Amino acid sequence: MGMNETALAAAAPREYDVIVVGSGAGGMTAALCCQAQGLSALVIEKQDVYGGTSAVSGGGIWIPCNEDIPKVGGTDSFEEALTYLKGLIGEAVPQSRIEAYLRQAPAMVRFLKERFGIAFRAVKKYPDYFPDAPGGKPGYRTMEPVDFDASRLGAEFERMRGPYKGTQLMGRISMDQVEAHILFTRAPGWIWLMLRMMGRYWFDLRWRRRTQRDRRLVLGQGLVASLRQAMLEQKVPLWLETGFESLVVENGRVSGIEATRNGQRLRLSARCGVIMASGGFEANQQMREQYLPKPTSVEWTAAPPINHGEGIRAGQALGAATDFMNLTWGSPTVVTGKGPACGIFVERALPGSVVVNKLGKRFVNEAAPYTEFVYAMYDEQARSGGGVPCWLVFDATFRKKYPMGPLLPGQIQPDSSLPRHWLDKVYYRADTLDALAAKIGVDAAGLKDTARQMGEFAAQGSDPQFKRGGNVFERYYSDPSVKPNPCLGPIVKPPFYAARLDAGELGTKGGLLTDAAARVLREDGGVIEGLYAVGNCSAAVMGRTYAGPGSTLGPAMTFAYAAACEIAKTAAQPKAQAGVAAAA
């Protein structure tokens, strides 16, 4: 930071109505919604870039009963959505909080569009993760941000956390959820779509001279950019490289925070409240060891290494209750040794692969939702000691046609072009299943028998063991050209491959217990006045489950909106009382 910036920072106000800790989608939504209701808000971020884990996410938000559903040919109702969530969550979360989410989520989306021009569109064919459950839907409820032109951000674009290369075509070209599905499944027109996308990127010559990053921002990049642009327009301040240290309590109420900026400790006052949006604790090995199932490692997370649980611990220091601290938004991952681990979301549904334990046996429906898959890994670990890690095994046909974590399809990225040190670390290869089993330490007879069974299942088009490919979600990322079941294929062509799957996650689920207005609660159920929590530093409204694409960001932004509404209502009460007193 230069001298002028340092001087400006020193002169910046240190008292606001609301202070928000964390610059992800939840934090920025909270600040915008506060500002829109006449409350001054400040967002602080400890990193030198903004966007948090939201910036590298898929950017989807799960919004039942959103206004786009009829436009794309679907139907939904509050009763159906409540039936669906209650059936998945059970009694783990108070119904009042679930209902608050379902009622406030569409209102939040409508508010952002009407007030700031931040728009989302429903993804017609992206199913709920349990579409056959009562109230489940084959699509419609997930919304994605509309495209955003990066040039609108000016220099602020450079301060946004960049995307993961794995979410982009050729590691550079932006693709939204609909485009990714068309390309991945090779749906009709996929070649022309790919050529158009490549042409748009490469012929944007003016932008190419500036940066390799795509001008067209979608997914989490589009979401964060649209929120940041609105903050700039509304003059909501964002302080980067400002680390949260502790909460300030006066007269039994949270009245501000202490933070470190430019090497100086600051006390920042919050007249109306502090909103913690500081993420979970996936980057904190000590907290992982304390709360999560074992084994566990920070190396397995697919999230950027930025969330250490500061907000959760600060709330605990004030007597806040917590819940779901043993749970994660789980996803199996492949560790490459460089950067965050690679989440394995869709590859498991593709034909010609199988997941096995150390006995060479299947223990899970490979195409299951990723959080359910990680639960199954730990269940298998408890049973046999061979579920964490487990192994995704595939053959040469799969390797040629499909991606596998950090490996692009072999027809695009052959083995000869992969980093040499990845062999027998990131991926394993052998000419026979016996030799592959020896390399990865699984039982050879078990693996060969499992491969034989998968060939039989593929031929008959059904999986009597785990029903892989049995619903619309499992078939969403499959190969429709493979018949009769697009998720099942034989494993017969050498060489054979394996990838180690670790029990990773997108983020942790557990955090500060909150009510329907995002107020943090004490162990006895009382409210910690002036303290709110949203996103992964709060206990997930989804409980143990993951209802559908966008079930992390949707609640984070919805309860950010709810918190802002509650703070505005509370702030208005003393003014109204003062007015009555003056009139008397």
Side-chain angles (χ1 to χ4, degrees), residues 45-341:
E45 168 58 57
K46 67 182 179 181
Q47 301 292 311
D48 59 358
V49 290
Y50 61 87
T53 58
S54 301
V56 298
S57 73
I61 53 175
W62 192 75
I63 311 291
C65 303
N66 69 75
E67 293 181 350
D68 265 17
I69 290 177
K71 301 176 186 176
V72 293
T75 61
D76 200 4
S77 69
F78 178 86
E79 291 73 24
E80 286 177 293
L82 182 60
T83 296
Y84 179 63
L85 283 184
K86 283 291 292 180
L88 297 179
I89 298 170
E91 302 302 317
V93 175
Q95 184 162 326
S96 60
R97 193 163 175 242
I98 297 173
E99 290 188 4
Y101 172 55
L102 292 177
R103 294 189 192 283
Q104 297 272 47
M108 177 272 296
V109 172
R110 187 164 53 250
F111 183 82
L112 290 182
K113 183 175 182 180
E114 293 175 354
R115 185 66 177 79
F116 306 112
I118 299 171
F120 297 85
R121 56 185 169 227
V123 184
K124 180 177 180 178
K125 295 182 179 180
Y126 209 164
D128 290 343
Y129 286 164
F130 303 91
D132 296 335
K137 294 287 181 180
Y140 318 118
R141 285 173 170 163
T142 294
M143 306 188 81
E144 68 173 354
V146 300
D147 304 3
F148 186 92
D149 185 340
S151 66
R152 293 175 58 195
L153 282 173
E156 199 66 9
F157 173 62
E158 306 299 334
R159 289 187 277 270
M160 184 171 71
R161 182 177 297 280
Y164 287 163
K165 290 183 179 294
T167 63
Q168 299 185 303
L169 180 65
M170 301 175 65
R172 291 187 181 186
I173 303 171
S174 297
M175 54 182 173
D176 62 29
Q177 292 178 1
V178 174
E179 291 164 342
H181 182 246
I182 292 172
L183 294 175
F184 197 85
T185 61
R186 301 185 182 187
W190 73 273
I191 294 178
W192 287 111
L193 172 62
M194 181 175 66
L195 293 174
R196 286 198 305 272
M197 293 170 66
M198 293 173 63
R200 176 197 56 77
Y201 175 86
W202 288 111
F203 287 109
D204 190 2
L205 299 178
R206 183 177 178 183
W207 191 257
R208 287 289 67 74
R209 286 193 288 268
R210 175 177 172 180
T211 176
Q212 288 187 352
R213 289 170 66 177
D214 200 340
R215 177 201 295 263
R216 177 186 177 236
L217 303 181
V218 297
L219 306 180
Q221 294 281 289
L223 172 61
V224 167
S226 61
L227 290 167
R228 184 69 187 111
Q229 177 65 18
M231 287 179 63
L232 293 169
E233 292 172 351
Q234 300 299 314
K235 296 181 171 56
V236 179
L238 166 63
W239 292 3
L240 298 178
E241 298 181 88
T242 303
F244 168 80
E245 297 292 341
S246 63
L247 294 166
V248 175
V249 180
E250 296 176 328
N251 301 319
R253 177 185 178 84
V254 173
S255 61
I257 67 169
E258 289 196 351
T260 301
R261 191 182 193 204
N262 302 326
Q264 294 183 330
R265 187 106 170 187
L266 305 176
R267 176 171 287 204
L268 303 172
S269 296
R271 288 180 289 263
C272 300
V274 172
I275 302 177
M276 300 301 303
S278 52
F281 59 89
E282 60 273 4
N284 186 323
Q285 184 64 29
Q286 185 276 324
M287 289 185 73
R288 294 180 73 104
E289 294 284 348
Q290 181 177 355
Y291 294 111
L292 298 184
K294 296 178 181 61
T296 185
S297 172
V298 295
E299 293 181 353
W300 300 347
T301 188
I306 58 177
N307 295 325
H308 294 83
E310 297 97 332
I312 297 172
R313 296 198 305 275
Q316 288 175 313
L318 300 186
T322 58
D323 206 356
F324 309 129
M325 295 294 283
N326 62 323
L327 302 179
T328 68
W329 301 99
S331 169
T333 55
V334 170
V335 176
T336 65
K338 183 179 180 181

Side-chain angles (χ1 to χ4, degrees), residues 519-552:
R519 299 181 299 178
V520 176
L521 303 177
R522 301 183 190 276
E523 293 282 357
D524 62 5
V527 172
I528 298 179
E529 297 293 339
L531 183 60
Y532 301 77
V534 302
N536 285 352
C537 71
S538 64
V541 69
M542 293 291 164
R544 177 183 170 87
T545 196
Y546 204 143
S551 292
T552 51

